[in-house]
Amino acid sequence: AFDVIGDIVLSAASQQYGGFRVSCVDQLLDKYAEASYVMFYERYRSLGLSDERAQEEAMKDIVNDFEQGFQGWEYKFNSVSSSRGDYPFITMTAGTGTSRFAKMATITMLNVRRKGQGKKDHKKPVLFPKLVFLYDENLHGPGKELEDVFEAGIECSSRTMYPDWLSLTGEG
């Protein structure tokens, strides 16, 4: 999913002027992560692992896929120029997915951005894709369903000045 989305985004973004947005990337990746989880889980069960251990290993594989996928996007979007010779302005929005894999996608995306890219001890956050956290006061904050996602956004913002925040609720 990451490779296909990355290729489509680069192709589409390089064919136009202005920016290109992938909305609710957390929800977009959710169904692919779920399918991968089932595949990983079944593989570990077929190897004779217990149900609990198979679930644990499958989740580790999903986290790894997310980390590698988001890092791949960062490398791709910051190193492959468009047909005009510039780097396409790409924005990803996330933060409102409530399933386990949508939450994991947003948190992992923010953690990858927070940790930066480059050589050890010289890592820097990259510019693209621009990250926009979709804040909903009914979902985020203390005691809310997506408190952990909100906290990951706050931690990322405190270290990298990303993501940008877009409030979906409230006045003004």
Side-chain angles (χ1 to χ4, degrees), residues 82-166:
S82 73
S83 58
R84 296 181 311 276
D86 62 354
Y87 296 102
F89 194 100
I90 299 166
T91 302
M92 302 275 179
T93 66
T96 57
T98 57
S99 73
R100 64 181 174 168
F101 293 121
K103 290 172 64 171
M104 183 187 292
T106 302
I107 291 169
T108 305
M109 179 176 67
L110 293 165
N111 287 340
V112 166
R113 178 59 55 92
R114 181 178 49 80
K115 292 175 184 175
Q117 301 292 343
K119 293 181 181 179
K120 186 178 178 182
D121 298 326
H122 298 287
K123 293 185 178 237
K124 302 284 183 215
V126 297
L127 184 57
F128 295 115
K130 177 181 176 184
L131 303 181
V132 176
F133 190 101
L134 301 175
Y135 175 82
D136 184 330
E137 65 186 9
N138 300 310
L139 296 172
H140 301 102
K144 302 287 175 78
E145 184 176 10
L146 297 177
E147 180 179 4
D148 53 345
V149 175
F150 177 74
E151 291 301 322
I154 294 294
E155 184 176 357
C156 186
S157 285
S158 72
R159 298 190 186 193
T160 66
M161 296 182 63
Y162 292 101
D164 289 348
W165 294 79
L166 179 61

Side-chain angles (χ1 to χ4, degrees), residues 17-37:
Y17 289 100
F20 187 84
R21 179 185 59 190
V22 180
S23 299
C24 300
V25 71
D26 51 345
Q27 295 173 47
L28 178 67
L29 292 169
D30 178 57
K31 63 183 170 188
Y32 299 104
E34 186 68 48
S36 293
Y37 174 81

Side-chain angles (χ1 to χ4, degrees), residues 57-70:
E57 293 301 318
M59 288 302 276
K60 285 180 186 177
D61 287 348
I62 296 298
V63 169
N64 184 61
D65 281 356
F66 275 147
E67 287 174 348
Q68 296 294 312
F70 287 121

